[in-house]
Amino acid sequence: MQASLSLSVSNPAAIPRSSHGFESSIPFPSKPVNLRFCGLRREALGFSSASSYPLSTSRSSRSIARSNKVSASLGGANGSSSAPKSFDYDLIIIGAGVGGHGAALHAVEKGLKTAIVEGDVVGGTCVNRGCVPSKALLAVSGRMRELQNEHHLKALGLQVSAAGYDRQGVADHANNLATKIRGNLTNSMKALGVDILTGFGAVLGPQKVKVGKDTVVTAKDIIIATGSVPFVPKGIEVDGKTVITSDHALKLEFVPDWIAIVGSGYIGLEFSDVYTALGSEVTFVEALDQLMPGFDPEIGKLAQRVLINPRKIDYHTGVFATKITPANNGKPVTIELIDAKTKEPKETLEVDAALIATGRAPFTNGLGLENINVATQRGFIPVDERMRVIDSNGDLVPHLFCIGDANGKMMLAHAASAQGISVVEQLTGRDHVLNHLSIPAACFTHPEISMVGLTEPQAREKAELEGFEVAVAKTSFKANTKALAENEGEGLAKLIYRPDNGEILGVHIFGLHAADLIHEASNAIALGTRIQDLKLAVHAHPTLSEVLDELFKSAKVNAHVGSSPVAEPVAV
Amino acid sequence: MASASSSLLTKMPTPSNTTISFSASLSPALPLFHSQSHLRRHRRTGNALRVQSKIREIFMPALSSTMTEGKIVSWIKSEGDLLSKGESVVVVESDKADMDVETFYDGILAAIVVPEGESAPVGAPIGLLAETEDEIAEAKAKAASAGSSAPAPAAAAPDVSPSPPAASAPPPPRPADGPRKTVATPFAKKLAKQHKVDISKVAGTGPFGRVTPGDIEAAAGIVSTKPNVAAPAVAAQSAPIAAAATPKAASAPSTPALPGSTVVPFTTMQAAVSKNMLESLSVPSFRVGYPIMTDALDALYEKVKPKGVTMTALLAKAAAMALAQHPVVNASCKDGKSFTYNGNINIAVAVAINGGLITPVLQDADKLDLYLLSQKWKELVEKARAKQLQPNEYNSGTFTLSNLGMFGVDRFDAILPPGQGAIMAVGASKPTVVADKDGFFSVKNKMLVNVTADHRIVYGADLAAFLQTFSKIIENPESLTM
């Protein structure tokens, strides 16, 4: 949608501002459409004739202008607004996690009669066993770190006597936060009139869902948003006490002296931050050759220097944990390691606890997918770029969508929500394809890591394939007044871009409040804003956002065409 | 020697002031190794015609004051490449940053000893530089022999500690059920590396017999900085006094602060001094004083002063020579059960610097001549001012010298530093009326020295004998210049 619009109007600077108004939460469905068109008319004169059309006409004219999907989207519009009700609901969402919640809210806003099915607790992984409680623990660990860092405090002129913590108090904080957010989520859906159906949901057939044992409801469209569960590799025995997953760890039932964390992705990293702040020593076990796979290598390296090396952490890379036995009969937890390549046994670790953070597996069992001839791939439900479910013959299953961790496209809560909103947009007559490269991700260590778009190697690979040039710009937090005022100058922001046209390919930040800073970049990618325009944007002084300001300003767009990419080393 | 120390100069991509500092810290690490390599080379080639040939070793540089080992990020050049002076050869990762390492010689990169991704301790050869193509084969042979012997110390460890895998170089698979397995926690391993403690020799006291950070600190002779160590002592002194402001403040009888007073927390250096001074309370020490006539020494000093010799060097040299004859005064008592006789005589000299106190160490003071010693001393003081002393340049002392004579202090006694057997406090040399055995009065320069020693190992007679020797050396100082 965004792409096609900006192409047709050929005024990328003006379009994004108006055409993205639709995602803002204006309560009345008719109004935003109107507003949007007014906006568009003002800025793109080519559409001025549309303004005189009555609302319904303008809708269809939009469809025509948009693409060749006229019939499909017209059908959708009719079904939701005027066609006689042959279904219990316009939309049923299976799974009330963040993805389902986002979809439900947007669906209601768009006038769809919506139900959401939840077999466990509202809020899903993120709210109950993931992002939310972990942020509570990380808030504690961040403060503990500050209070324990005598050097840092002294530099600020502060004197604090020994910092301590009460484990139960910390655990309660995490639990209370989850409860509170869960309440907020439930209330927001109830207030908007989303029916919450309790029980496990399964797809019985096209447009038919079974809830619990014997309730059957029908809906014009179905969204599967069942999420994921912690992935536990074979040979690992989880007892929930000494060998645990993130589900258990977030309850913080005990703080081991020494814990092995299997997997050094963002879950493992965040927990290492929590545990070391609370006094544990940590051993990472990583199957790949280096820690923090998935992060931009340069950022990963710097992060390792700050988050791993100076802390009470050691690591084993290039090894698999083939067998993990919980502590028992006065024996410690044992972890048998083999070489990831040669498969030869390497050594056995003896620790007080092991946290399995090897990623997450889709939760798609018992969904009745066989009823509609859908075969999962490693548990994931195959979908196309519009989240439409693909059956085992490779055909689209009508009226069935899958969003979030269950489709495995991008296993992040906010990605699930964005996918859900995208689906609702399609259902209500507006084609929409979510640009996953514009979805930011963050790791809430101290300091934080955030990223959006491509890593440098990915960008270079893409550039090679498509024949464009890639350049890299970097700025250090050391040059930022606010960061220095906080005495937190450690950090780096990195911009990967096309010098020929100023397109942002990726932004990676490691430093104070990186998770909050990334959105300027992710919005720019989503809206297609070019660096040359961003350079002119103003940032309040002194703020951390000036790190990105500096970053964009240091990019050389069209400056010296044909020269090799600039890759200046940055002091860190 | 001097040229050897600059065989490698590394460039940091940061502002230039840091470059200076670290190239300074580089120099102490290299010369030793370099001179060794020269010896080895001459022995090995043994060919008169090939005396000109040069195979230079490229060393792991010390890129920061805290760096103990570095990891090869990448070799910019490959084996067989021609190198010219100033070219970057290899990228090394330290605990702080990645830096390019340049060569200071033209030549051919003959062999890479430490491949990419592996680590080597500071000062270890990481590659060989041949001057001509003819020497490449020789260099390769050398690298091969080094390769077979060099990793040995590293390979000796694997059945002992799991730390080698940390350096991404997987160790050879452990034979099933090795002799005795030592389990050490991550922080214990870090501390062991930092303090150069062999984990396999440390008995673990943690759960399941694992080696804990506390065990390593105990083995390294460090008193844990955790407040709970100080707590019992405090409780004994001022038990009933309620919650003092900080645990540290509590160690003094907690009198309320007077109005108008300010509390300034210790700097790191001051905290270290405080810790060391408290530690001395656990050592039964005693003091012996001795008057020494310094007329001859003063005369000598006037003579050698223009050559850059300082009084500190003279006194250090004299003390070192006396210690050579009385090894027990140079010994230390580490565990309360034994004497540790130190192989070297390293004279630490207390210096007041920027509100702190540090003891740069003149190593092997008995072996170096006065001029070298003076020169060394100047370097150390400069480094101390710039806070660039390497740990072994301030904590390797076996005997300490403290001189307050320049302030006119006539006598004082010093507190024994931890890990040493004795410390000498030197007062001012002052014209004094003295009577000789025949009853004649004369005016001589007299200086009072006062030695504090650990009575567990140094007894009164030992100290007296040492002082006698010392005074003889001072009173007949010709031997100092030899």
Side-chain angles (χ1 to χ4, degrees), chain A residues 281 305 309 311 313-314, chain B residues 14 98 185 187 189-190:
Chain A
E281 295 180 40
R305 277 195 195 119
N309 296 348
R311 297 185 180 171
I313 301 176
D314 70 349
Chain B
T14 41
D98 290 357
T185 73
F187 190 43
K189 279 184 249 167
K190 268 185 191 169

Side-chain angles (χ1 to χ4, degrees), chain A residues 150 154 159 258 281-283 301 305 308-309 311-316 330-332 344 346-348 352 569 571, chain B residues 13-14 73 93 96-98 162 165-166 170 173-174 181 183-187 189-190 208 210 213 248 265-266:
Chain A
E150 275 181 50
K154 199 181 284 169
Q159 292 173 30
W258 183 6
E281 295 180 40
V282 169
T283 295
K301 199 170 208 179
R305 277 195 195 119
I308 310 271
N309 296 348
R311 297 185 180 171
K312 296 176 181 179
I313 301 176
D314 70 349
Y315 49 88
H316 300 259
K331 282 195 207 123
E344 280 175 32
K346 285 195 68 169
E347 63 186 294
T348 302
D352 297 321
Chain B
T14 41
V73 178
E93 178 185 340
K96 299 265 186 339
D98 290 357
R174 167 209 305 281
K181 197 174 117 178
V183 176
T185 73
F187 190 43
K189 279 184 249 167
K190 268 185 191 169
F208 317 108
R210 73 169 68 125
K248 273 179 198 153
F266 285 153

Side-chain angles (χ1 to χ4, degrees), chain B residues 74-85:
Chain B
S74 60
W75 282 94
I76 300 167
K77 302 285 177 181
S78 8
E79 289 186 5
D81 282 2
L82 272 175
L83 307 178
S84 52
K85 197 170 152 182

